[in-house]
Amino acid sequence: MTSVHDGSLREACGDLAGFRRAFYGCLTARSDALFELADAVLCADGPVRSLVELALVDEHRRGHGSLYAALARGRVDVERLRGVLASVPLPRAADGRMVLAVDITCWLRPDANTSPARILCHTYGRGKDQHVMVPGWPYSIVVALEPGRSSWTAPLDAVRLVPGEDAATVTAGQLRQLGQRLIAAGQWHPGDPQMLVVADAGYDTPRLAWLLRDLPVQVLGRMRCDRVLRRPAPPRLPGTNGRPPRHGGEFIFGDPGSWDEPDAATGSETRLYGTATVRAWNRLHPRLTHRSAWIDGANKLPVIEGTVIRLDVARLPSGAVPKPVWLWYSGNDTTAGDVDRLWQAFLRRFDIEHMFRLFKQTLGWTTPKIRTPEQADRWTWLILAVYTQLRLARGLAADLRRPWEKTAPPDRLSPARVRRGFRHLRAKTSSLASAPKPCRPGPGRPPGRRNNRSTPRHDVHISPNARKKPKTAGNPRPRRTG
């Protein structure tokens, strides 16, 4: 008699094998070399320190020249791969809602003067409140978050920001296309809870909500502590002349006297932060100004109402003085239960940082010294496919722990520990890449002939926001427009 555990293992093995076949089908040029390169990243011992060292992994049966040629002249059907990532089993929240997180991470290339399309990327320095701008390639990545404490996410899409593009517009278009793919893949049906998009303070959350208003999507994002929102316009009294007001009284984040009584309040005890107190105020909106970002054919600026949530905690794990966190949610009429789920979903957004660290420190996403951004895009999609295979192999991998590591349950293995045993899982799946054919190396440059053609240099694109002087310390003025 077949047990439930054996059935789940066969289902997980089938999902992994199915994704590997679909991923191989997305490689349209030099597919065998690209597929074995991804297997080399999966099966390498330890972090990926150098791209050429992957040619020494047993799973990579080709030479190092084929490795570089695959990244330079290979092709990946990105649209097809996006559909494959949207079709794999995705995590859900406790209420069945799909929670998506979006963030921008940078592939820093400060010394790559011959690489085009570089942008000044914001990084944090070693000092307190020190910000450094370093040239690189920024990528906007969207993932599906898991409920509870976990370092796992489900990457769904990656878009490289091109110089001159508006990050908010690119992100809105990326989320729109992703939402349509999830609906087409059957991940969302009419009657299901709306998908929740969680963003940090770097995004204009009301604008994202306005651009995605025709999709089953709700937006939750952090706001700066110096914002000023407006309440709904008061009812017009009979016999009043003049234009009716569009905004009500001010809600100043830094002035408790303007808050009034919250519409919902809740409190709970947490393990890391102590007592968490949450208050929410419904139907608040920013007062928009006449900017080109809001004009889309209509002369009247919209009024985007939402819920403002303030989160206060008793302590921080680092021992620093805790500061309140202000959130803006595109929904209205929220209850105490809704508010409790929202702020916990926002805390789960930081799981994407664990994925970025694994990409850069273990899988070697930013290790190759690639010249063109097209090669960087090709390598980025390989890394996303590698991580997805690790996630699908969670229930199949054995815990090959080090002697100094603690024993972890099978369902609590980290991505790095799943990667240790992936070599044994790969042997159980079908080998899709064909055997390499013997060939001779090319003749190369004739002896005595020098390369007199210099490689073109490219300047770093500097956005208008990067030219502005940093704000001085002190009490900032409240931002009354958005």
Side-chain angles (χ1 to χ4, degrees):
M1 184 175 180
T2 305
S3 63
V4 178
H5 180 67
D6 294 338
S8 61
L9 289 180
R10 280 202 302 269
E11 183 179 359
C13 187
D15 292 339
L16 176 60
F19 178 82
R20 286 174 62 85
R21 289 192 297 268
F23 170 58
Y24 182 77
C26 298
L27 308 176
T28 57
R30 298 184 179 267
S31 55
D32 296 334
L34 288 174
F35 191 79
E36 288 194 353
L37 177 59
D39 279 354
V41 177
L42 281 166
C43 302
D45 295 330
V48 178
R49 302 297 185 187
S50 174
L51 184 64
V52 70
E53 289 183 356
L54 293 176
L56 302 178
V57 180
D58 294 339
E59 286 71 16
H60 192 277
R61 299 174 293 177
R62 289 160 171 81
H64 62 276
S66 176
L67 183 148
Y68 284 108
L71 287 181
R73 294 185 291 275
R75 286 195 302 269
V76 180
D77 191 346
V78 175
E79 292 301 324
R80 184 177 177 182
L81 184 54
R82 282 171 171 157
V84 172
L85 292 176
S87 302
V88 299
L90 298 179
R92 308 283 178 138
D95 57 351
R97 183 193 301 266
M98 188 183 305
V99 182
L100 307 177
V102 58
D103 202 357
I104 295 179
T105 184
C106 300
W107 185 338
L108 301 181
R109 299 302 309 276
D111 300 326
N113 297 324
T114 59
S115 297
R118 290 185 302 159
I119 305 175
L120 283 182
C121 303
H122 173 269
T123 60
Y124 289 98
R126 294 183 178 272
K128 181 180 179 181
D129 298 333
Q130 183 179 2
H131 307 281
V132 182
M133 305 300 292
V134 181
W137 292 317
Y139 280 84
S140 175
I141 297 182
V142 184
V143 303
L145 298 179
E146 292 194 355
R149 296 165 51 203
S150 173
S151 60
W152 288 93
T153 61
L156 297 173
D157 193 24
V159 173
R160 178 174 50 84
L161 300 182
V162 179
E165 289 184 337
D166 180 45
T169 304
V170 173
T171 303
Q174 181 184 17
L175 292 173
R176 172 176 296 279
Q177 296 176 6
L178 175 60
Q180 295 172 353
R181 287 196 299 270
L182 292 175
I183 295 174
Q187 301 285 2
W188 186 89
H189 301 88
D192 294 346
Q194 290 186 323
M195 293 177 281
L196 179 65
V197 176
V198 185
D200 205 2
Y203 293 90
D204 192 349
T205 311
R207 186 182 173 194
L208 281 179
W210 174 254
L211 295 176
L212 303 174
R213 62 189 181 277
D214 57 335
L215 292 178
V217 170
Q218 292 177 329
V219 182
L220 173 68
R222 185 162 63 97
M223 278 191 166
R224 294 165 52 104
C225 60
D226 59 350
R227 292 298 300 269
V228 177
L229 301 186
R230 306 300 287 268
R231 292 185 171 86
R236 187 176 178 84
L237 300 177
T240 304
N241 297 325
R243 186 176 62 179
R246 303 187 67 229
H247 311 286
E250 291 184 340
F251 184 94
I252 305 174
F253 286 7
D255 183 11
S258 63
W259 297 350
D260 295 339
E261 290 296 325
D263 297 310
T266 180
S268 58
E269 289 292 333
T270 61
R271 183 179 63 90
L272 294 177
Y273 306 102
T275 304
T277 305
V278 189
R279 290 171 287 177
W281 295 265
N282 292 322
R283 307 186 67 82
L284 294 175
H285 65 273
R287 180 179 176 270
L288 306 180
T289 57
H290 288 278
R291 295 184 299 174
S292 59
W294 293 103
I295 300 300
D296 55 354
N299 296 326
K300 190 175 182 180
L301 292 174
V303 175
I304 308 172
E305 292 186 340
T307 301
V308 171
I309 302 173
R310 177 186 167 101
L311 171 63
D312 295 279
V313 297
R315 63 176 184 271
L316 293 177
S318 61
V321 179
K323 297 181 180 180
V325 176
W326 291 93
L327 305 176
W328 188 89
Y329 173 58
S330 59
N332 281 298
D333 302 327
T334 55
T335 62
D338 298 333
V339 173
D340 212 12
R341 287 190 293 268
L342 288 173
W343 74 265
Q344 294 181 19
F346 177 78
L347 293 185
R348 294 268 62 82
R349 192 206 69 85
F350 294 96
D351 294 340
I352 196 174
E353 303 295 340
H354 299 290
M355 187 193 72
F356 291 157
R357 184 175 61 180
L358 181 82
F359 278 11
K360 298 179 180 180
Q361 298 182 2
T362 303
L363 302 183
W365 175 48
T366 59
T367 296
K369 305 303 180 183
I370 295 175
R371 175 176 294 179
T372 64
E374 291 76 17
Q375 297 175 9
D377 295 343
R378 208 167 290 129
W379 176 249
T380 299
W381 283 106
L382 287 183
I383 296 299
L384 262 64
V386 164
Y387 186 88
T388 303
Q389 294 182 60
L390 292 177
R391 189 175 66 86
L392 295 177
R394 290 172 62 182
L396 305 172
D399 185 15
L400 304 179
R401 67 182 184 89
R402 302 290 188 258
W404 54 85
E405 293 177 343
K406 296 182 180 179
T407 304
D411 58 341
R412 298 294 298 176
L413 293 179
S414 64
R417 294 174 76 161
V418 172
R419 179 171 173 260
R420 294 176 188 170
F422 193 87
R423 175 171 290 172
H424 307 287
L425 299 177
R426 179 186 175 276
K428 300 179 182 179
T429 60
S430 58
S431 179
L432 301 175
S434 60
K437 299 179 181 179
C439 62
R440 293 183 178 180
R445 186 181 299 113
R449 180 176 296 182
R450 299 178 58 185
N451 182 16
N452 297 323
R453 181 180 300 177
S454 60
T455 305
R457 264 56 175 171
H458 301 274
D459 296 332
V460 180
H461 175 76
I462 302 177
S463 62
N465 293 332
R467 301 177 188 271
K468 297 179 180 179
K469 296 181 179 180
K471 294 184 177 180
T472 58
N475 296 326
R477 297 178 57 186
R479 296 178 59 188
R480 285 181 163 78
T481 58

